[in-house]
Amino acid sequence: MTAPHGFSVSRYAPERGTLAKLAARDSVVRRLDWPILLSALALSFIGALLVWSATRGRTELNNGDPYYFLFRHLLNTGIGVALMIGTIWLGHRTLRGAVPVLYGLSIVLILTVLTPLGATINGAHAWIVVGGGFSLQPSEFVKITIILVMAMLLAAKVDAGDQLHPDHRTVAKALTLAALPMGIVMLMPDLGSVMVMAVIVLGVLLASGASNRWVLGLIGAGIGGAVLVTALGMLDEYQINRFAAFANPDLDPAGVGYNTNQARIAIGSGGLLGAGLFKGSQTTGQFVPEQQTDFVFTVAGEELGFVGAGLILLLLGVVLWRACRIARETTELYGTVVAAGIIAWFAFQSFENIGMTLGIMPVAGLPLPFVSYGGSSMFAVWVAIGLLQSIRVQRPMTA
């Protein structure tokens, strides 16, 4: 239909305002998964309070500034959210084309850790000190790279309509590309990160529709590899001690079993409602080592009690539930596989972190997603949220 003088009616249609555009059904804001976003933000801000409580009296760590770790945790969260926004803006499909570059960059970074530029923190030579009190742990970003490179390979022919499932050759290529960075990380040694990566690979294979023979073979290879590594003495002494303390918590309560025992005391003393924020005796007494990072859940258990710790579990559950929904509703295998890899990552790392504070899992030096202090881990999990949101935003709209 045209207006008088042959002009299109659309030329005279009023332009939608900014608020109207944001509220439109097809806007990015409306299509975001808000439950997963708000839950992740809530976890990060709860983490800020727990990190603050664990570090405000640690003058040997905070240089006399009780707000040091609080501000840095909030800064890391802000940078993480910015990375999420950038990931959504680029889109997971655009990143699909950049996977070879990202993979190569990841290999370079983790190889750099093995050079004199690498630094040892908490027994793992897994860090690059960049100055100004900041350090980078490349293995956190390798988790994302493994997800993307495997998804790119496994979904290529399926999304193109050439195959119903990935063939054996494609699966072999994907596993080879995943094994290379995992092998390098193992040399650091960073056994905790390798465990997470192995679970990611397993989750990706299951979601891709690859033959069950590959899944069973991978599980068997993992068990065999663990036995071989132990038999050859490839584990460091501190890693062997962690497993020994897990198997027998009473082995050396003042030595290798100290962390786990103190963590259980802190959580057990919290009761239903906890001692109150900043009032936990184990936390203020600084009895739990690495409480702002690996053992941050003990602060929640002691000071916020069963209710506060349960809230963290609930929020993590919402993140996983919404991620599962995103994986199920996407129309492309690539998106499903990426989401499945993130789900496997978040689920296992959360279970391992909380489990080691309760004494039901060995201490593996893994942060609690969104909650623990740490720049690299915070940036990585928010990039993962950006990938999930991109998969959600870019799916076809239904009528």
Side-chain angles (χ1 to χ4, degrees), residues 17 71 84 90 140 182 184 200 217 393:
F71 289 151
M84 177 200 70
L90 285 173
E140 290 293 335
M182 289 175 64
I184 299 173
I200 287 173
V393 168

Side-chain angles (χ1 to χ4, degrees), residues 80-91 95:
V81 172
L83 290 172
M84 177 200 70
I85 294 172
T87 303
I88 298 172
W89 179 74
L90 285 173
L95 289 173

Side-chain angles (χ1 to χ4, degrees), residues 213-236:
R213 285 179 290 179
W214 282 104
V215 177
L216 294 174
L218 188 63
I219 294 174
I223 295 173
V227 173
L228 183 63
V229 166
T230 304
L232 295 177
M234 296 176 65
L235 295 178
D236 280 1

Side-chain angles (χ1 to χ4, degrees), residues 51-137:
V51 167
W52 186 19
S53 179
T55 60
R56 64 194 184 95
R58 302 291 297 269
T59 54
E60 77 280 9
L61 296 177
N62 61 27
N63 300 317
D65 181 3
Y67 301 99
Y68 178 82
F69 282 93
L70 171 65
F71 289 151
R72 286 172 72 97
H73 185 91
L74 292 174
L75 175 62
N76 290 337
T77 301
I79 295 173
V81 172
L83 290 172
M84 177 200 70
I85 294 172
T87 303
I88 298 172
W89 179 74
L90 285 173
H92 67 291
R93 291 173 185 160
T94 300
L95 289 173
R96 184 177 189 171
V99 165
V101 176
L102 296 176
Y103 182 82
L105 181 59
S106 295
I107 297 296
V108 171
L109 284 175
I110 54 178
L111 284 174
T112 303
V113 173
L114 301 178
T115 70
L117 296 176
T120 300
I121 299 178
N122 297 330
H125 193 78
W127 302 80
I128 300 173
V129 177
V130 296
F134 291 92
S135 57
L136 181 69
Q137 187 178 12

Side-chain angles (χ1 to χ4, degrees), residues 192-209:
S193 292
V194 173
M195 290 168 58
V196 176
M197 293 172 194
V199 173
I200 287 173
V201 170
L202 192 61
V204 165
L205 284 183
L206 287 169
S208 70

